Amino acid sequence: MEDKELLEKFANPESRNLAFNQLVRKYQQKVYWHIRKMVIDHEDADDLTQEVFIKVWKNLENFRQDAQLYTWLYRIATNECLTFLSSKKRKFFLPINDVAAELAEKIDSSPDIAGDEIQLKLQKALLRLPDKQRLVFNMKYYDDLKYEEISEILGTSVGALKASYHHAVKKIEEFLKQD
Amino acid sequence: MNKDFKLSDIPKHNIYQVPEGYFDRLPMRVMERTTATGNQHHSPVYTSLWQALRVAVAPFILLLVFVGAYFLSTPTQKAGNASIANLPDQEIVDYLTTYAQVEATDLAELSVADKDITSDFLNISPNVAESELEYYQLNEEPF
């Protein structure tokens, strides 16, 4: 079902629940994987994904249709991730590298993370990036979003995003060349 | 590792996994939570009506506060006046002669007061007045 039709059905109280259920089914994987790559842990990703859709439920009627629905969803998911990660740093009084180390430890020990050595090392390299740069990298590299779409999600200029992605790739390649 | 290593050499692969059937159950779990919060969901018409009502009600509540404050303060003053009016004149005179600085003219104008008390002040002889003054030590500090 097209987004426009989903929104029209959501606006009708009689078909609201059905439309929202279809919206969740349509976008749940994009939202979940976007969050999971940022927070690593499945339980955290699960909680945040549900929070994202609860916020969507509460605010969908105010959604301005001049923006794409999925970029709006990405924006909400991105904000949830950044809030979660910053609260995690504050909660444990940990500097950024210690949170990254904690997440890297999860990559090694979690039973629901499986990949060959280079894949695991790539994920650990990503954790060395600042959160926003990691977001940019994930959306460009894994989700194949256009810079214009990422710009709409993050509210950052296309030029700055291109530079950020370029530097991220360089840092990752440097890290992977080590050992 | 190869010094000419490029990121593009690594195949894109998702190493993260979810429990079996996770995405089948997630929509239902989300819907359960929206149902729990669904009662708080209002239509745009309801929301705009409520906003208009809040704007209209705010001055009315403010007016009620002022009126309430007025009626709470006014009866206290009346009660004060009423309680003074109910006091016997003798009690008032006793109070004033004990605590207040009363001029002789005040007592002269007090027609209802005890004539014996007022006459003690008004018809005092110079000798008695002088002896009374000597009895009290005057404050030597300059005014």
Side-chain angles (χ1 to χ4, degrees):
Chain A
M1 190 184 291
E2 292 295 316
D3 289 347
K4 190 170 181 291
E5 192 180 349
L6 274 176
L7 293 169
E8 285 171 358
K9 288 194 173 182
F10 185 83
N12 181 354
E14 289 179 3
S15 54
R16 173 168 291 140
N17 284 352
L18 179 64
F20 189 71
N21 188 288
Q22 287 173 329
L23 183 149
V24 175
R25 288 186 185 280
K26 183 175 181 180
Y27 288 110
Q28 61 176 343
Q29 295 214 26
K30 278 188 178 182
V31 170
Y32 173 85
W33 290 120
H34 179 61
I35 293 171
R36 178 74 186 271
K37 285 197 285 283
M38 288 303 293
V39 302
I40 309 300
D41 183 75
H42 166 71
E43 298 300 328
D44 291 338
D46 178 40
D47 287 345
L48 292 175
T49 302
Q50 290 187 51
E51 285 302 317
V52 167
F53 283 113
I54 296 300
K55 287 193 173 176
V56 171
W57 167 262
K58 288 179 178 172
N59 295 288
L60 191 57
E61 65 190 6
N62 301 322
F63 170 68
R64 290 177 293 113
Q65 294 192 32
D66 52 344
Q68 296 269 15
L69 183 58
Y70 77 91
T71 57
W72 185 63
L73 290 169
Y74 260 100
R75 184 195 283 261
I76 296 172
T78 298
N79 287 336
E80 286 293 313
C81 287
L82 293 175
T83 304
F84 173 83
L85 291 170
S86 62
S87 68
K88 198 176 180 70
K89 286 163 199 164
R90 280 200 305 272
K91 188 176 176 183
F92 297 108
F93 302 102
L94 295 174
I96 186 166
N97 286 336
D98 288 341
V99 172
E102 183 195 328
L103 297 179
E105 169 62 24
K106 281 185 180 173
I107 289 175
D108 283 332
S109 61
S110 177
D112 55 11
I113 298 175
D116 55 29
E117 186 185 354
I118 190 67
Q119 296 287 351
L120 295 176
K121 196 169 181 184
L122 171 59
Q123 292 307 313
K124 289 178 191 171
L126 288 177
L127 291 174
R128 294 190 167 213
L129 301 175
D131 290 340
K132 284 187 180 174
Q133 195 169 32
R134 192 150 61 98
L135 278 166
V136 173
F137 180 87
N138 286 341
M139 284 190 277
K140 185 66 190 166
Y141 182 78
Y142 287 111
D143 301 343
D144 285 325
L145 293 184
K146 295 173 184 169
Y147 283 117
E148 287 75 13
E149 292 168 326
I150 303 172
S151 171
E152 193 177 326
I153 293 162
L154 296 180
T156 309
S157 72
V158 169
L161 291 172
K162 283 180 180 176
S164 179
Y165 181 74
H166 175 75
H167 288 303
V169 170
K170 290 293 171 195
K171 284 187 210 173
I172 291 164
E173 287 178 342
E174 284 300 316
F175 180 79
L176 293 175
K177 282 175 189 173
Q178 293 171 9
D179 300 336
Chain B
M1 189 165 282
N2 185 358
K3 295 291 180 190
D4 297 325
F5 175 81
K6 294 287 179 190
L7 183 63
S8 54
D9 296 339
I10 304 176
K12 287 184 189 178
H13 178 66
N14 183 8
I15 65 167
Y16 302 105
Q17 297 167 351
V18 293
E20 195 174 342
Y22 172 72
F23 289 116
D24 295 330
R25 295 189 301 272
L26 182 59
M28 190 170 290
R29 291 168 64 211
V30 171
M31 292 308 293
E32 282 170 4
R33 289 188 61 184
T34 59
T35 307
T37 59
N39 293 334
Q40 297 167 8
H41 187 92
H42 304 303
S43 68
V45 174
Y46 180 90
T47 305
S48 59
L49 269 176
W50 171 237
Q51 284 174 346
L53 191 64
R54 278 193 302 181
V55 171
V57 163
F60 182 68
I61 290 172
L62 199 62
L63 182 67
L64 280 179
V65 169
F66 277 111
V67 170
Y70 174 77
F71 279 109
L72 282 175
S73 61
T74 307
T76 308
Q77 290 172 350
K78 284 179 180 173
N81 293 339
S83 62
I84 291 171
N86 292 334
L87 284 174
D89 293 335
Q90 182 60 50
E91 200 170 321
I92 295 170
V93 170
D94 288 346
Y95 174 84
L96 291 173
T97 54
T98 306
Y99 298 106
Q101 290 184 336
V102 184
E103 301 292 334
T105 50
D106 295 332
L107 292 168
E109 289 170 1
L110 188 60
S111 59
V112 292
D114 188 334
K115 297 297 180 189
D116 294 337
I117 295 172
T118 54
S119 63
D120 286 348
F121 286 91
L122 295 172
N123 303 322
I124 190 168
S125 68
N127 291 337
V128 174
E130 194 170 341
S131 63
E132 283 290 324
L133 285 172
E134 285 174 357
Y135 179 79
Y136 295 103
Q137 287 186 340
L138 293 176
N139 192 348
E140 293 180 355
E141 289 180 9
F143 291 101

